[in-house]
Amino acid sequence: MKRIVILGAGTAGIMMSNKLHKHLAGSEFELSVIEKEDTHYYQPGFLFLPFGHYKKKDIAKPVNELISKGAELIKKEADRIDAEGNEVLFKDGSSISYDILIIATGARIVPEDTPGLKGELWQKKIFDFYTIEGASALAEFFETWEGGRLVVNVADNPIKCPVAPIEFCFYALDCFRKRGIGNKMKITYVTPLSGAFTKPKASKMLGSLLEDNGIELVTDFFLGEVDNENMKIRDFGGREVEFDCLVTIPLHSGDPVISKSGLGDEFGFVKADKNTLQSVLFKNIFVIGDAGNYPVSKAGSVAHFQAEVLEKNIMSFIKNEPLKESFDGHSNCFIETGRGKGILIDFNYDTEPLPGTFPVPVLGPMKLLKESRINHWGKLAFKWIYWKILLPGRKMPISAHMSMAGKKTD
Amino acid sequence: MTQITYAGVTVDVNEEGYFTNPSQWTRDIAAEIAKEEGIVLTDQHYAIIDFLRSRHNNGEALSIRSINHSGIIDVKTFYQLFPGAPLKKATKIAGIPKPSSCI
């Protein structure tokens, strides 16, 4: 028997295992999935957890229930990949050999890389919401918080889900208004970008929405250190922003396994071809989702569209055929803006988010780059879609490749 | 497309003054752009400019974080060399496109 190994059972790894399993049943390939954690979290839910709108149990499921029975789930922690020897080596000294390796080790936050961030105020006045621990600690803090200066800061890019910090600002304001302490809140969004977002049209739209809501925007701010004593964040140039509560989106890195195996860039993201999703160093290694150094959002929607491309490319690779499918950088994100509304953006490597309707021209029903109630419902419905359609590897009625249909250009 | 003449050489730039053809760049051109930004280039400036150019030529993304991995200077020194918005200024002087985050 030959073996395909998927390293990591996050969103990307689970989707891939369930897609591939369908093709491999009865073939000469067996499928193994390596994951050290027992629980998989629906990460978009981390946005709602701090405000008590989801509890931990609402967004958690055991990993073994999400992987199809035909794949072998190995609950072990990988230490490194021996790419020359086609083996994954585990921390316990054992190993597994592979014919094809799919790396899906994701991205993680590294608050320890910024001086003072994990200082005495960590999880007392300084919180992340990109981990279950951080989001839960913040929920507890917010329960009794009576308002003040809330600073939401992105340390530097790349980060997972680049719209989440902005959504957090809108959503926090909405929740605190409902609690009757909106007037005691001053929310500041501090970003290394030169605007609210990278792409011009979306940046302008989100920038004015921040302004309309009285959310202050501080740009070109690269976090250098956190001053716990004076409760300030400071950029490398010495600019300061004071906070009463700091919600940080810390620096991100790839899994330590990647750097240890010599497969990554300086931040530990795997160097791979942005179209074929194949490692640039080893032909039998592929990379999906946040683990890759792709010039694209680190987001579940991207992993989903990549999975459709990678499914076909892996099957071509098995048959010794050229890799025909090409990933175009398609991303699709709901942005929660509070008051029961949301924005939807749809874009790829070459096309920035544009206004229009989605997925059907004129009819929508979703509106692109515009606030609407149906977009908000789309976001809430997405949780069901995630568990029932995306993770099981079922087909969505949306193409992996971005479509210009319904989009308005200048 | 706009054209500007630096150090006697006509180069193509975009609306923000960033080079659209990095191969037109020379060290003398860099010195002139730097002067416009109020910076006198030293060997340390050139070392980091060379680093940025070679990363760009290799198709690698540029970020403030990557400066710490340059082995040349740390980020604080980078801010001292190119005050204000160091990455934007340094890439302009280095004759390469303005770095954009990929989202």
Side-chain angles (χ1 to χ4, degrees):
Chain A
M1 284 293 270
K2 292 182 174 179
R3 189 184 286 122
I4 297 179
V5 167
I6 299 177
L7 185 53
T11 305
I14 293 173
M15 281 191 295
M16 260 341 276
S17 73
N18 291 334
K19 277 181 181 294
L20 285 178
H21 161 252
K22 291 171 198 163
H23 297 286
L24 300 177
S27 79
E28 57 172 338
F29 277 92
E30 57 187 328
L31 183 61
S32 303
V33 184
I34 300 169
E35 175 57 56
K36 62 178 189 290
E37 301 292 338
D38 291 315
T39 308
H40 176 83
Y41 291 100
Y42 171 65
Q43 290 184 64
F46 289 172
L47 174 67
F48 301 104
L49 205 77
F51 306 99
H53 293 175
Y54 281 148
K55 300 280 180 227
K56 194 171 164 180
K57 64 174 171 45
D58 300 326
I59 58 170
K61 282 195 201 289
V63 174
N64 61 8
E65 289 178 16
L66 300 169
I67 305 267
S68 64
K69 299 279 174 274
E72 174 199 21
L73 179 60
I74 302 172
K75 187 184 152 29
K76 281 188 185 181
E77 186 169 2
D79 180 53
R80 67 185 182 88
I81 298 158
D82 174 6
E84 301 278 357
N86 298 313
E87 271 191 324
V88 176
L89 310 167
F90 296 109
K91 289 239 158 113
D92 66 6
S94 63
S95 65
I96 184 170
S97 63
Y98 60 80
D99 294 281
I100 298 171
L101 176 67
I102 299 173
I103 299 178
T105 43
R108 66 197 170 104
I109 59 165
V110 283
E112 58 276 16
D113 280 8
T114 300
L117 189 51
K118 272 194 115 170
E120 55 185 287
L121 297 182
W122 181 250
Q123 296 203 345
K124 293 190 183 79
K125 302 273 184 191
I126 301 175
F127 304 87
D128 79 277
F129 71 103
Y130 274 48
T131 58
I132 188 69
E133 296 80 19
S136 303
L138 184 54
E140 207 172 302
F141 175 80
F142 274 164
E143 262 179 36
T144 55
W145 197 39
E146 291 175 356
R149 285 166 301 192
L150 174 65
V151 172
V152 180
N153 171 236
V154 176
D156 199 354
N157 288 304
I159 59 166
K160 288 201 270 190
C161 192
V163 296
I166 303 178
E167 293 187 276
F168 189 92
C169 294
F170 290 129
Y171 206 65
L173 183 64
D174 194 28
C175 292
F176 286 111
R177 274 179 183 155
K178 280 184 189 139
R179 214 192 271 175
I181 56 168
N183 56 350
K184 291 184 187 153
M185 296 288 301
K186 179 172 182 275
I187 302 181
T188 308
Y189 181 52
V190 185
T191 168
L193 300 176
S194 297
F197 201 64
T198 43
K199 315 280 178 174
K201 285 196 172 63
S203 182
K204 200 170 162 219
M205 197 267 167
L206 290 167
S208 33
L209 205 54
L210 287 171
E211 200 181 333
D212 294 347
N213 280 283
I215 297 169
E216 188 189 6
L217 178 64
V218 176
T219 59
D220 300 297
F221 190 102
F222 292 89
L223 181 64
E225 59 184 352
V226 179
D227 180 342
N228 283 258
E229 200 183 330
N230 298 303
M231 296 174 74
K232 285 174 181 170
I233 52 173
R234 202 168 288 129
D235 83 353
F236 287 105
R239 276 198 299 164
E240 295 179 335
V241 177
E242 287 182 70
F243 64 84
D244 294 311
C245 171
L246 173 65
V247 172
T248 174
I249 295 84
L251 298 174
H252 281 47
S253 286
D255 195 281
V257 168
I258 304 306
S259 301
K260 215 170 170 182
S261 312
L263 294 170
D265 65 12
E266 70 228 287
F267 309 134
F269 296 114
V270 189
K271 295 180 193 166
D273 185 282
K274 68 174 186 175
N275 297 123
T276 62
L277 312 178
Q278 187 176 38
S279 157
V280 296
L281 299 171
F282 295 91
K283 291 211 171 327
N284 63 337
I285 296 182
F286 294 84
V287 188
I288 181 166
D290 298 351
N293 76 338
Y294 304 120
V296 65
S297 296
K298 294 196 179 299
S301 70
V302 172
H304 161 67
F305 296 130
Q306 285 178 338
E308 301 206 345
V309 170
L310 190 54
E311 175 186 13
K312 291 178 184 145
N313 279 352
I314 295 276
M315 295 320 291
S316 299
F317 186 80
I318 286 174
K319 292 181 216 151
N320 266 324
E321 290 169 3
L323 306 179
K324 289 186 290 278
E325 281 298 308
S326 175
F327 179 60
D328 66 353
H330 192 187
S331 312
N332 180 290
C333 319
F334 288 107
I335 309 173
E336 193 64 28
T337 51
R339 291 161 292 115
K341 290 186 179 178
I343 298 171
L344 179 64
I345 56 175
D346 191 65
F347 55 109
N348 70 9
Y349 288 139
D350 306 314
T351 307
E352 65 163 317
L354 296 169
T357 53
F358 186 87
V360 184
V362 187
L363 296 176
M366 308 288 182
K367 303 256 192 298
L368 289 171
L369 206 55
K370 187 173 185 294
E371 269 194 301
S372 82
R373 282 188 192 282
I374 190 147
N375 290 342
H376 165 71
W377 291 112
K379 174 134 193 150
L380 295 185
F382 188 71
K383 185 166 152 234
W384 185 89
I385 294 171
Y386 182 82
W387 295 119
K388 302 290 180 191
I389 298 178
L390 290 188
L391 290 191
R394 297 198 176 99
K395 273 214 93 66
M396 281 276 283
I398 294 172
S399 165
H401 301 287
M402 197 201 75
S403 162
M404 285 305 288
K407 292 191 174 65
K408 288 183 209 151
T409 50
D410 288 334
Chain B
M1 186 94 62
T2 318
Q3 290 194 317
I4 303 187
T5 303
Y6 287 116
V9 184
T10 304
V11 300
D12 301 318
V13 296
N14 71 5
E15 64 279 7
E16 289 182 296
Y18 287 84
F19 277 50
T20 52
N21 183 359
S23 67
Q24 294 174 327
W25 178 92
T26 66
R27 291 170 87 86
D28 292 341
I29 290 177
E32 279 208 16
I33 309 173
K35 209 191 287 173
E36 285 182 359
E37 299 282 345
I39 298 169
V40 178
L41 296 185
T42 62
D43 287 349
Q44 211 174 19
H45 286 98
Y46 277 115
I48 201 76
I49 285 170
D50 288 341
F51 167 76
L52 294 173
R53 283 184 62 85
S54 90
R55 271 189 74 111
H56 172 76
N57 290 338
N58 292 334
E60 292 173 79
L62 297 171
S63 68
I64 289 279
R65 271 176 95 187
S66 60
I67 300 300
N68 268 337
H69 295 260
S70 67
I72 302 168
I73 51 169
D74 62 13
V75 178
K76 280 205 168 156
T77 316
F78 190 42
Y79 267 79
Q80 285 156 13
L81 293 175
F82 302 93
L87 195 58
K88 284 193 212 167
K89 281 188 187 170
T91 48
K92 193 171 187 179
I93 295 168
I96 54 178
K98 182 173 157 185
S100 61
S101 274
C102 23
I103 38 179

